[in-house]
Amino acid sequence: FRTFPGMPTWRKTHLTYRIVNYTLDLPRDAVDSAIEKALKVWEEVTPLTFSRICEGEADIMITFAVRKHGDFFDFDGPGKVLAHAYPPGPGINGDAHFDDDEQWTKDTSGTNLFLVAAHELGHSLGLQHSDKPEALMYPVYNSSTDLARFRLSQDDVTGIQSLYGPPPASPDDPVKPTESARPQTPAKCDPTLSLDAVTTLRGEILFFKDRHFWRKSLRTLEPGFYLISSFWPSLPSGMDAAYEVTSRDIVFIFKGKQFWAIRGNEVQAGYPRGIHILGFPPSVKKIDAAIFDKQKKKTYFFVEDKYWRFDEKKQSMDPGFPRQIVEDFPGVGPKVDAVFEAFGFFYFFSGSSQLEFDPNAKKVTRILKSNSWFHC
Amino acid sequence: LPLNGAARDEEDSMDLVQHYLEDYYNLAKDAKQFAKRKDSSPVVKKIQEMQKFLGLKVTGKLDSDTLQVMRKPRCGVPDLGE
């Protein structure tokens, strides 16, 4: 994402808008509803609120116009430029203009007013164009957007929250159960939080949960929170395990019978591959957790109550495995969700608990909550 | 004299590119004859900048993918600030 030069923002959180005139392409209530819905897109991820006024000067003045319309940027007839808007500030700033030579529609048969309005209002709030094609703030109109499933991209959310912060949490808001199969956005300080996978990556720690991950640097207290797809579009959500081979600058990601390799933000060619090429028997359907031991150059794969040991130098499973987890990691298990290494300790995650394990002393040294790294 | 079809298409594309780069990528208005210049020309650099920003293959040339994206409807706000 980008912001405008000088990062102009609104200095207040409650803004007014006015629909100055209407297109003839749509009924008035359809225009009202598209604008309301477009504002709500941004309202949901920021502390900003909006109210409509019907006369006088609003912060955001919305107009439909053709060709020359009183600013420095004339419209150009049907197609090409659909609309434009100005960054926050007084006067024309904050205003959004729509080219009425377009065929505005509620669906995507013409130019969808909601999509364009949501984009323009992003400018009105201070976002410049994004270079991410999946972002709402990408400059080119995408007529194949699925309106029923519309959602801001992580890039849009990160961008607008860099200007205004996230919406305030209300303790009175009950957590609404959802009937949707789509997982809820996980809350890092939820005491019942469990994790899918944890790994280091170039000195940072990544905590994966459903479609998201937290990225924690040891230099900062607060972790960043991102969509997995915003960094690695081809990786699956709900992954099973992840580990970093630091000496090769590679992180391996496991889900089901497949695994991927990533280097930084690039998924490596030739993946996904089947886990059985690593030497697992066909009975193994998924890996629960994995960790690379830098000292021994071995990777431990945890599956149910057993573990396998993989020699990264020989690229083969060590003989004599699997073994029971509890035999060599007393106090851990029987089953683990995730594991990673920091400061010479192994940190095992199981449900909402985390065990700090000293691999030299072969004992658990601390019991923690799974979110102990999140500065809750 | 009227241009033949292919020549007209090419000229239209050149106009489109010139205006696109001027409007959205701050190309100086006096940068003429841009298509014929060498790789180091400011126009080629602007095309590369645009291709990079729009997630296209960065060639510095007006390939069909680049022209296709430039012909799509878009927001009128410039992609890059001063």
Side-chain angles (χ1 to χ4, degrees):
Chain A
F1 70 88
R2 283 158 208 240
T3 54
F4 287 97
M7 278 182 77
T9 57
W10 296 101
R11 300 284 174 214
K12 53 190 178 182
T13 56
H14 184 73
L15 301 172
T16 56
Y17 72 98
R18 181 178 154 199
I19 302 173
V20 179
N21 64 352
Y22 285 83
T23 174
L24 297 177
D25 299 342
L26 287 167
R28 286 187 167 219
D29 62 346
V31 173
D32 293 345
S33 149
I35 301 294
E36 261 175 55
K37 196 175 151 198
L39 289 164
K40 205 162 185 55
V41 162
W42 298 109
E43 206 170 54
E44 281 175 352
V45 295
T46 62
L48 298 172
T49 54
F50 301 94
S51 62
R52 186 175 170 189
I53 61 171
C54 293
E55 55 186 23
E57 181 76 14
D59 298 311
I60 299 170
M61 300 283 273
I62 294 165
T63 51
F64 290 85
V66 296
R67 305 287 177 177
K68 281 188 187 298
H69 58 279
D71 62 12
F72 292 112
F73 304 99
D74 301 345
F75 283 135
D76 53 4
K80 291 180 256 180
V81 171
L82 304 176
H84 56 225
Y86 294 83
I92 196 171
N93 285 296
D95 296 355
H97 300 166
F98 297 84
D99 185 349
D100 211 1
D101 276 331
E102 310 306 332
Q103 181 64 42
W104 296 105
T105 55
K106 284 201 276 189
D107 55 20
T108 51
S109 59
T111 306
N112 181 263
L113 180 59
F114 156 71
L115 278 182
V116 177
H119 174 104
E120 297 308 326
L121 291 166
H123 291 313
S124 301
L125 300 179
L127 283 182
Q128 241 279 18
H129 283 150
S130 165
D131 61 5
K132 298 273 183 293
E134 71 275 16
L136 175 65
M137 294 313 294
Y138 189 67
V140 179
Y141 177 74
N142 181 2
S143 58
S144 60
T145 304
D146 184 347
L147 291 170
R149 291 177 162 204
F150 173 82
R151 50 170 46 217
L152 286 176
S153 75
Q154 181 66 49
D155 186 69
D156 299 311
V157 175
T158 309
I160 201 70
Q161 290 187 349
S162 75
L163 298 176
Y164 299 101
S170 166
D172 300 331
D173 287 347
V175 177
K176 291 179 189 164
T178 176
E179 290 174 12
S180 161
R182 189 187 290 279
Q184 295 260 310
T185 302
K188 71 178 165 71
C189 292
D190 177 353
T192 65
L193 179 72
S194 62
L195 294 161
D196 294 337
V198 184
T199 183
T200 51
L201 170 57
R202 295 179 175 174
E204 298 186 12
I205 311 167
L206 309 185
F207 301 84
F208 293 96
K209 176 69 177 177
D210 302 329
R211 297 182 305 129
H212 295 87
F213 70 100
W214 287 277
R215 175 182 176 184
K216 175 83 169 69
S217 160
L218 295 175
R219 294 183 299 278
T220 56
L221 291 175
E222 289 289 333
F225 184 55
Y226 307 93
L227 276 169
I228 294 170
S229 59
S230 67
F231 276 63
W232 306 284
S234 61
L235 283 191
S237 57
M239 52 184 65
D240 294 330
Y243 73 94
E244 180 184 33
V245 181
T246 42
S247 52
R248 291 169 60 198
D249 186 27
I250 277 192
V251 170
F252 292 102
I253 302 285
F254 291 76
K255 179 164 183 177
K257 294 178 187 173
Q258 293 184 306
F259 72 106
W260 290 254
I262 58 175
R263 176 169 285 140
N265 62 352
E266 286 179 357
V267 178
Q268 299 299 288
Y271 292 88
R273 304 176 76 181
I275 58 172
H276 298 109
I277 61 164
L278 299 172
F280 291 108
S283 58
V284 173
K285 304 284 192 289
K286 69 187 271 287
I287 311 293
D288 292 333
I291 186 174
F292 172 61
D293 185 332
K294 279 184 278 200
Q295 311 301 325
K296 297 181 176 146
K297 302 278 188 286
K298 306 272 189 183
T299 296
Y300 301 98
F301 290 106
F302 298 85
V303 180
E304 301 287 344
D305 58 348
K306 301 183 181 68
Y307 79 100
W308 272 259
R309 198 175 70 194
F310 184 81
D311 189 315
E312 292 285 348
K313 280 195 286 190
K314 293 182 192 164
Q315 287 291 294
S316 63
M317 282 295 182
D318 281 343
F321 289 86
R323 291 171 57 86
Q324 292 290 319
I325 295 173
V326 72
E327 283 178 28
D328 299 321
F329 299 90
V332 175
K335 195 172 175 303
V336 293
D337 295 333
V339 60
F340 81 106
E341 183 266 332
F343 316 114
F345 291 98
F346 290 179
Y347 291 90
F348 287 94
F349 295 78
S350 180
S352 60
S353 298
Q354 183 186 178
L355 302 173
E356 183 185 72
F357 185 86
D358 182 339
N360 298 316
K362 285 196 175 278
K363 66 175 186 181
V364 172
T365 45
R366 273 198 298 170
I367 299 173
L368 305 154
K369 292 297 289 180
S370 64
N371 53 7
S372 71
W373 298 86
F374 295 162
H375 190 56
C376 289
Chain B
L1 290 172
L3 295 164
N4 66 35
R8 191 185 300 121
D9 284 352
E10 193 179 340
E11 188 154 295
D12 287 350
S13 296
M14 294 303 127
D15 279 351
L16 168 72
V17 173
Q18 175 113 15
H19 287 125
Y20 204 93
L21 294 178
E22 284 173 359
D23 289 347
Y24 309 124
Y25 291 88
N26 300 325
L27 178 69
K29 298 262 183 197
D30 57 355
K32 302 288 185 197
Q33 298 297 321
F34 52 93
K36 308 254 188 265
R37 294 196 182 177
K38 303 273 185 206
D39 285 356
S40 59
S41 86
V43 178
V44 172
K45 283 184 181 164
K46 280 289 173 194
I47 292 173
Q48 289 171 333
E49 187 180 6
M50 173 190 70
Q51 287 171 326
K52 186 167 180 230
F53 185 82
L54 293 175
L56 299 160
K57 192 175 174 192
V58 179
T59 61
K61 291 175 187 164
L62 296 171
D63 48 64
S64 57
D65 286 349
T66 303
L67 284 169
Q68 196 181 354
V69 173
M70 292 170 78
R71 287 192 174 112
K72 285 186 177 174
R74 54 160 292 148
C75 172
V77 173
D79 296 339
L80 304 170
E82 293 292 340

